[in-house]
């Protein structure tokens, strides 16, 4: 019997996925001068969706820079760009009210009232910040995030290990969960 729910955050509970995208595109425009905004947007869609930020930026850089030898330290460059995007995202979101989708909020409240368990499975390393700012954490029994994945050496989404990690933190078997992704 399904007794628990595992939720993604950005674009499922909160309307923050567009802010992530805008922050990435602004970051990439400021760091990659030889690409048009439309090309950057196209590559964002291709390389960043649903993967950890470092994976996305490395994919983007590898597709953009023709001379790979030009970049001695792609890891360092990717981390620097990812950190810049993270600061930009946090700056933008700090000044906004986070929109919570009404259907998601109603379902979270409904399930909580019935004693069902709700867990988070968000690859975002900003998930805790968004949960606290939006006051959604009170409806969740656990949160698997990009940070907990690093801490426990869990493979990132879309690998099923991430969802198993979320179920483990929730204290239930994955077979007893419904996932909202």
């Amino acid at each position: 019997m399904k007794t628990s729910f595992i939720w993604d955050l950005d674009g499922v509970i909160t309307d923050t996925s567009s802010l992530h995208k805008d922050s990435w595109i602004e970051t990439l425009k400021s760091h990659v001068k030889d690409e048009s905004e439309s090309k950057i947007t196209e590559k964002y869609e291709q390389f960043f969706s649903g993967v950890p930020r470092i994976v996305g930026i490395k994919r983007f850089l590898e597709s953009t820079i023709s001379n790979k030898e030009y970049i001695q330290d792609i890891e360092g460059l990717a981390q620097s760009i990812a950190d810049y995007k993270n600061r930009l995202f946090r700056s933008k979101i700090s000044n906004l009210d986070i929109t919570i989708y009404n259907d998601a909020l109603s379902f979270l409240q409904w399930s909580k009232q019935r004693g069902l368990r709700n867990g988070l499975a968000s690859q975002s390393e900003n998930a805790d910040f968004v949960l606290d700012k939006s006051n959604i954490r009170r409806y969740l029994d656990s949160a698997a995030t990009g940070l907990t994945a690093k801490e426990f050496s869990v493979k990132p989404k879309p690998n099923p290990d991430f969802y198993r990690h979320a179920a483990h933190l929730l204290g239930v078997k994955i077979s007893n969960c419904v996932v909202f992704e």
Side-chain angles (χ1 to χ4, degrees):
M1 182 162 125
K2 307 297 181 197
T3 59
S4 304
F5 304 97
I6 295 176
W7 299 78
D8 191 9
L9 182 62
D10 299 314
V12 176
I13 297 176
T14 61
D15 184 20
T16 45
S17 55
S18 60
L19 188 57
H20 277 291
K21 178 180 178 178
D22 293 346
S23 297
W24 267 120
I25 290 173
E26 187 175 330
T27 297
L28 295 171
K29 281 180 8 186
S30 72
H31 285 79
V32 181
K33 305 295 184 199
D34 296 338
E35 295 281 327
S36 68
E37 183 168 347
S38 63
K39 198 69 163 165
I40 286 173
T41 301
E42 179 185 317
K43 286 184 177 183
Y44 170 84
E45 300 292 344
Q46 182 180 1
F47 298 122
F48 284 82
S49 184
V51 298
R53 65 180 77 157
I54 291 298
V55 172
I57 190 61
K58 283 169 57 178
R59 288 177 180 173
F60 178 88
L61 290 171
E62 288 169 355
S63 76
T64 303
I65 298 168
S66 58
N67 184 354
K68 306 292 186 274
E69 294 171 12
Y70 179 71
I71 298 181
Q72 299 293 325
D73 181 16
I74 197 163
E75 289 285 334
L77 179 59
Q79 188 62 56
S80 174
I81 293 172
D83 290 346
Y84 179 93
K85 179 269 177 184
N86 195 49
R87 287 189 302 274
L88 182 62
F89 174 82
R90 282 181 175 245
S91 172
K92 288 177 181 253
I93 207 165
S94 292
N95 300 316
L96 298 173
D97 289 330
I98 296 173
T99 300
I100 302 166
Y101 294 119
N102 289 331
D103 291 344
L105 180 59
S106 294
F107 196 91
L108 283 163
Q109 292 169 332
W110 174 87
S111 59
K112 199 72 172 157
Q113 290 168 353
R114 281 156 184 76
L116 301 171
R117 299 183 58 78
N118 290 294
L120 186 76
S122 173
Q123 190 63 54
S124 176
E125 292 185 17
N126 289 304
D128 289 313
F129 182 73
V130 172
L131 289 175
D132 293 338
K133 185 158 181 13
S134 65
N135 206 21
I136 285 293
R137 189 182 298 277
R138 62 189 164 150
Y139 300 110
L140 298 172
D141 298 293
S142 65
T145 68
L147 296 176
T148 65
K150 280 183 179 178
E151 179 183 345
F152 293 102
S153 300
V154 175
K155 293 177 183 170
K157 289 181 184 182
N159 190 296
D161 289 352
F162 195 86
Y163 300 99
R164 288 186 194 101
H165 171 62
H168 174 76
L169 292 178
L170 195 53
V172 297
K173 293 180 181 178
I174 191 71
S175 59
N176 291 337
C177 297
V178 173
V179 176
F180 296 103
E181 182 63 45

